[in-house]
Amino acid sequence: MRSTMSRRGFLAAGSGLAAATTLPALAGCSTLASADSDPDTLVVHSQLGTTAPGSPTYLSALNTFRDENPGLKVKNLVNGDDLAQVYETSRLARKEPDVVMVNLYDKTLAWTDVGATVDVKGYMDDWGLRERVLPVALDAWTDGEGRLRAFPYFATNWPVAYNTALLDRAGVDAIPTTGDQLISAARKLRAKGIAPVTVGGNDWTGQKLLAQIIQTFLTPEEARKVFTSGDFGGRGAREGIEYFTALRDAGVFADKAQGLTSDTMTTQFNTGHAAIQSAMSSALAKVPDKIARHTEVGGWPLAPHAAHDKPTILRTYTLIGFWISPNGTKKLDAVEKFLRFMYRPETVSRFIKESGRDMALRSDTLSTDFPLVADAQKLGDDVSEALLPDVYVPPAATQPLITATSTAFTRGTSPARVRSVLEAAYRTA
């Protein structure tokens, strides 16, 4: 990945030579071909539109918006995990879409700072939409300079799902709340041929669970410092790593977890081959009824003398926001209509009821058709909240940390080695 200064040059200033030499190679880019300077066409770039959770609701809402605004065309560009890279490429050529729907993570952390997107705080206030947003979400989307990076939209709860039918089959009579109970449950599950905790140790799901377990002995403020600096040498971080490796080497995680992915994880849990998974609400919404009927959600079990007083979950309000591009500032009337529509209580309720999405906006609606999502929404004081590290990890360290995560999930890797690869991810990025 380029350094921040290099990305500032490409995304914000953009020399004529860079654009001229890069454009021929971009002829096949769908975003470049589809971006539209027509003031009556709003171009929205999103991950919603194919199989991503919430896509059917989003596409239906777009059609409603089109019906209400017959003079305004809406062009929906769709990308998956490569959306950020595709957007940056289109921004380089000054053909970027007007609105981008993506999370605050990795590359996108730098967008507002380098001018790839704009501070939306003024628009939020001018359009009277601030009161629709949960204060904690506004805080999460505001950078250190006081700029609001995007209009918050999707949030997520990230509890631990326990298949109680499998636990019962193995003779585990209660959901584990301590590390010792989890190790005991894992041994009993393995004796019955059931994988204990399934996890994508080779991708972002494993990275998040590792970060959550490391925080067992860290306060939120201490955790912020650790994930910002990459210094895992403090006592709390070292004890957290030791707790993780003790669980790992006791067989808590599924076999060969270091090679598993999020898809493998959800398949193992949803087919009844694994008893436990750490799952964000979009994954909980996909748990089939026959599994969901025997599933309870809770937190990650604690070790003695933990900094938390209850099992932990993750929660974030930065899953998807509406970013406005420099091109979008030329079509503010259209952008305002679109965002006002998406912020309507009835539009927000549709995502909650139809797609099981958690929202960063105020709503009394519950995901009643998605019982595990609704249960996670109601966990409240039964759990403690660990810090999601995404907005604190420097963007250049994000992918190296996933590589380090795979090493950490490899059984037998010492705590010192785990600490070393985590810190190296910051130094070599």
Side-chain angles (χ1 to χ4, degrees), residues 113-169:
D113 189 47
V114 301
T117 54
V118 302
D119 177 4
V120 305
K121 181 169 61 177
Y123 303 132
M124 171 79 71
D125 293 330
D126 291 345
W127 300 342
L129 296 177
R130 179 175 291 272
E131 293 305 312
R132 294 283 299 118
V133 188
L134 295 171
V136 66
L138 287 171
D139 290 343
W141 282 93
T142 300
D143 69 12
E145 303 298 321
R147 296 171 296 204
L148 184 61
R149 295 173 168 109
F151 286 77
Y153 207 59
F154 284 177
T156 189
N157 285 307
W158 207 320
V160 182
Y162 296 90
N163 185 324
T164 55
L166 295 182
L167 293 176
D168 288 344
R169 189 190 307 172

Side-chain angles (χ1 to χ4, degrees), residues 70-144:
L72 177 61
K73 301 174 186 176
V74 182
K75 186 173 293 184
N76 187 42
L77 307 179
V78 183
N79 280 98
D81 292 341
D82 61 341
L83 184 148
Q85 185 62 50
V86 172
Y87 176 78
E88 291 185 1
T89 300
S90 64
R91 172 61 193 151
L92 173 65
R94 300 299 187 266
K95 292 183 178 290
E96 79 275 5
D98 306 310
V99 176
V100 190
M101 296 175 63
V102 71
N103 60 334
L104 183 60
Y105 176 63
D106 194 8
K107 290 174 177 291
T108 68
L109 286 166
W111 279 1
T112 303
D113 189 47
V114 301
T117 54
V118 302
D119 177 4
V120 305
K121 181 169 61 177
Y123 303 132
M124 171 79 71
D125 293 330
D126 291 345
W127 300 342
L129 296 177
R130 179 175 291 272
E131 293 305 312
R132 294 283 299 118
V133 188
L134 295 171
V136 66
L138 287 171
D139 290 343
W141 282 93
T142 300
D143 69 12

Side-chain angles (χ1 to χ4, degrees), residues 177-180 216-217 243 300-308:
T177 58
T178 70
D180 287 341
T216 300
F217 301 96
Y243 180 45
W300 185 262
L302 295 178
H305 311 299
H308 300 266

